[in-house]
Amino acid sequence: MHLAEQMTDFDNIDDCENELTDFSAETNATFWIEDSNGYIIYPNEASTETSTVSADQTVTFDEDASFIDMQPSGTTTTNFYPITLKNGTTYTLAVQTDLYVVQQATKVLLSILPYVILMVFLLALLCARLYTWYITRPIVQLSRISKQMAELNFSGQCNTSREDELGCLAQNLNSLSASLSTALNDLQTANRQLKTDIEKEQALEQQRVEFFSAASHELKTPLTILKGHLAGMLNGVSGYENHTEYMERSIAVVDRMKKLVKELLYVSKADGTQKCEYKTVDIAEVFRVQIATVTDLLEKKKQSLEANIPDRLYCEVEQVQMERAIQNILVNAIRYSPSGELIRISLSEIYGTIRGEIENTGVHVSDDAIPHLFEAFYRADASRNRNTGGTGLGLYIVRKIMEMHHAKYGISNTSNGVLFWFELPCKQPIDNFI
């Protein structure tokens, strides 16, 4: 069959030519189509003579052979693909590809392969390092935080931004750290409170020992005097013939002992848990009543009194206790001031606080003695002369009463004498609408 007839039997050959031409240009490959007898029907300019396909490959077309005899140069490859049309006609598509570029690329790749392997190895090391750092960094942090916790340092916090198992572990460690920190703080607070309570208890116990020791001494002295008087009179000791005189002296000693015992009983009640009835009273009236009770003592020592007390001034106190405290302060002020001196009393209310002051002139207290004036059985007079002092419990009772009312109080030297002061919150009675 001639080439023209074969081309007539190939349907739509023009469309195929265009597609094959485009594909050949894109892939740098050579195409031809032969029929079942081995005749080249595409391209049309092909002949049975030898034609050059490329610089490295020659293709010989033999019309007596049913295949193409190729002389491969080692740089090209040819593939054959059978084609069957709808009318049953069979053709073969031959595709010849130039391998020169591939070989050149292979040589280049082989030449840079060691460098590529080295770069891949270094990249792998870098990736392994980064991955190891990413994995071990939270573990190192967890280890550091746990070591701090072992040293009772709960200030560190783990990073909880991760959502994996390490993030869950970090959250649990943070919760544990917070719980342990709270428990440790509570324990330290309890220990400090316990230590404070123990120190207070020890101080109270020391005060009790000192109090009973001083009380024993105060009771022992009058008992010794009383025993001497009685023994002298009973044994007819020289100098004790006047029984009346020594009986009077003994009665005076018994009176002092009675007063001391009453003071001790009062102190024991003040230290106890007796119930106190607080109510709103006119503290100005309480002062006026207590001033009236010491008028005879003032006249006896020829002292004058200067009082600045308002008509009414109310506060909430235990009336009996407060009367006792004011009486003790007034008696102390009169007793320790020389004859002819002045006793000043003032009572005022400033910004809701009542301030009371009692000053006795003509005397001063050493700065070393002032902090001890409210201690039991303490006297600024080192000789402890009973003619100038009482039982030594007067100011101690004042201190107990002021502490009972949560009042501020104190003693200080002034230019003219010694000043006692106290402060209490003012409280108006409910039925006072003025």
Side-chain angles (χ1 to χ4, degrees):
M1 183 180 293
H2 297 287
L3 179 60
E5 294 176 352
Q6 295 290 337
M7 292 296 295
T8 303
D9 293 338
F10 194 89
D11 298 335
N12 300 324
I13 192 67
D14 293 334
D15 295 336
C16 292
E17 286 183 11
N18 295 332
E19 295 180 2
L20 290 174
T21 301
D22 295 338
F23 186 72
S24 175
E26 293 175 359
T27 61
N28 193 26
T30 302
F31 303 91
W32 66 88
I33 299 175
E34 61 184 29
D35 59 9
S36 58
N37 296 322
Y39 291 102
I40 301 299
I41 64 173
Y42 177 82
N44 294 331
E45 65 272 12
S47 65
T48 58
E49 298 179 356
T50 301
S51 62
T52 301
V53 177
S54 69
D56 303 309
Q57 175 80 31
T58 59
V59 181
T60 301
F61 302 100
D62 189 355
E63 61 181 5
D64 297 331
S66 60
F67 60 89
I68 301 175
D69 184 15
M70 301 184 62
Q71 300 295 329
S73 65
T75 59
T76 59
T77 181
T78 305
N79 296 318
F80 299 92
Y81 303 95
I83 301 173
T84 302
L85 302 180
K86 292 181 178 180
N87 58 8
T89 306
T90 302
Y91 300 94
T92 300
L93 172 64
V95 180
Q96 186 182 70
T97 305
D98 187 2
L99 297 180
Y100 179 77
V101 177
V102 176
Q103 289 180 348
Q104 293 298 319
T106 303
K107 290 180 181 180
V108 173
L109 290 176
L110 290 176
S111 64
I112 65 174
L113 182 60
Y115 302 100
V116 173
I117 293 175
L118 180 60
M119 292 183 63
V120 170
F121 178 73
L122 295 177
L123 182 61
L125 288 179
L126 179 60
C127 292
R129 175 65 179 175
L130 293 176
Y131 182 76
T132 303
W133 175 81
Y134 178 76
I135 293 297
T136 58
R137 184 175 63 90
I139 298 177
V140 172
Q141 185 185 27
L142 292 176
S143 177
R144 178 174 56 82
I145 297 300
S146 61
K147 184 178 180 181
Q148 291 179 356
M149 292 174 60
E151 297 173 353
L152 301 182
N153 180 7
F154 305 103
S155 60
Q157 290 291 315
C158 301
N159 184 12
T160 58
S161 60
R162 299 172 63 107
E163 297 181 356
D164 54 3
E165 289 77 4
L166 290 177
C168 181
L169 179 60
Q171 292 179 358
N172 295 336
L173 196 63
N174 287 341
S175 299
L176 178 61
S177 176
S179 300
L180 290 177
S181 178
T182 302
L184 183 61
N185 290 335
D186 294 341
L187 182 60
Q188 290 176 344
T189 301
N191 287 339
R192 286 193 295 268
Q193 183 63 38
L194 180 60
K195 183 179 180 181
T196 302
D197 294 342
I198 292 175
E199 291 175 351
K200 288 182 178 179
E201 187 63 28
Q202 290 175 346
L204 289 174
E205 184 63 26
Q206 182 65 26
Q207 290 177 4
R208 292 190 189 101
V209 171
E210 293 175 354
F211 179 83
F212 285 114
S213 176
S216 301
H217 175 75
E218 293 292 331
L219 288 172
K220 180 181 178 180
T221 301
L223 284 174
T224 302
I225 296 173
L226 185 58
K227 181 181 178 180
H229 289 172
L230 294 176
M233 289 185 290
L234 288 174
N235 297 327
V237 177
S238 177
Y240 285 89
E241 292 85 359
N242 190 352
H243 290 182
T244 302
E245 178 184 354
Y246 282 99
M247 288 294 291
E248 290 177 354
R249 291 183 182 181
S250 297
I251 290 175
V253 173
V254 172
D255 287 339
R256 287 198 300 269
M257 290 178 61
K258 179 182 177 181
K259 183 178 179 181
L260 177 59
V261 171
K262 288 177 64 177
E263 297 274 340
L264 292 174
L265 290 174
Y266 186 88
V267 170
S268 66
K269 290 180 180 180
D271 289 335
T273 58
Q274 78 277 12
K275 294 182 179 179
C276 297
E277 183 180 353
Y278 293 89
K279 59 182 180 181
T280 303
V281 300
D282 184 1
I283 192 70
E285 183 63 23
V286 172
F287 262 82
R288 281 190 286 266
V289 171
Q290 295 307 313
I291 290 173
T293 62
V294 298
T295 302
D296 294 340
L297 187 59
L298 283 169
E299 293 177 354
K300 183 178 179 181
K301 297 200 67 173
K302 298 179 182 181
Q303 295 173 349
S304 58
L305 179 69
E306 180 183 308
N308 182 14
I309 301 175
D311 293 337
R312 291 182 179 84
L313 202 56
Y314 294 94
C315 64
E316 188 175 53
V317 296
E318 213 289 330
Q319 186 171 353
V320 176
Q321 303 285 357
M322 186 56 65
E323 288 175 352
R324 182 64 179 270
I326 295 173
Q327 184 185 55
N328 285 1
I329 291 297
L330 288 173
V331 171
N332 262 32
I334 296 171
R335 179 176 293 161
Y336 287 100
S337 289
S339 299
E341 293 296 333
L342 176 66
I343 307 297
R344 291 192 182 94
I345 301 174
S346 67
L347 193 65
S348 60
E349 185 265 327
I350 302 176
Y351 301 116
T353 299
I354 295 176
R355 182 178 176 88
E357 296 181 353
I358 301 174
E359 180 184 9
N360 54 308
T361 62
V363 65
H364 281 86
V365 180
S366 65
D367 294 336
D368 295 336
I370 288 179
H372 304 285
L373 291 178
F374 293 99
E375 296 178 2
F377 301 107
Y378 180 83
R379 293 191 200 146
D381 181 11
S383 65
R384 303 181 69 84
N385 186 357
R386 294 189 181 277
N387 294 326
T388 60
T391 62
L393 293 174
L395 291 180
Y396 179 75
I397 292 174
V398 172
R399 164 190 158 191
K400 290 294 182 180
I401 294 174
M402 291 299 167
E403 290 176 353
M404 182 189 307
H405 289 82
H406 304 288
K408 297 179 180 179
Y409 65 97
I411 291 180
S412 60
N413 287 314
T414 64
S415 58
N416 298 320
V418 179
L419 173 69
F420 169 83
W421 62 270
F422 71 91
E423 292 181 351
L424 284 169
C426 180
K427 185 175 181 181
Q428 297 295 333
I430 298 177
D431 56 350
N432 186 9
F433 297 99
I434 299 177

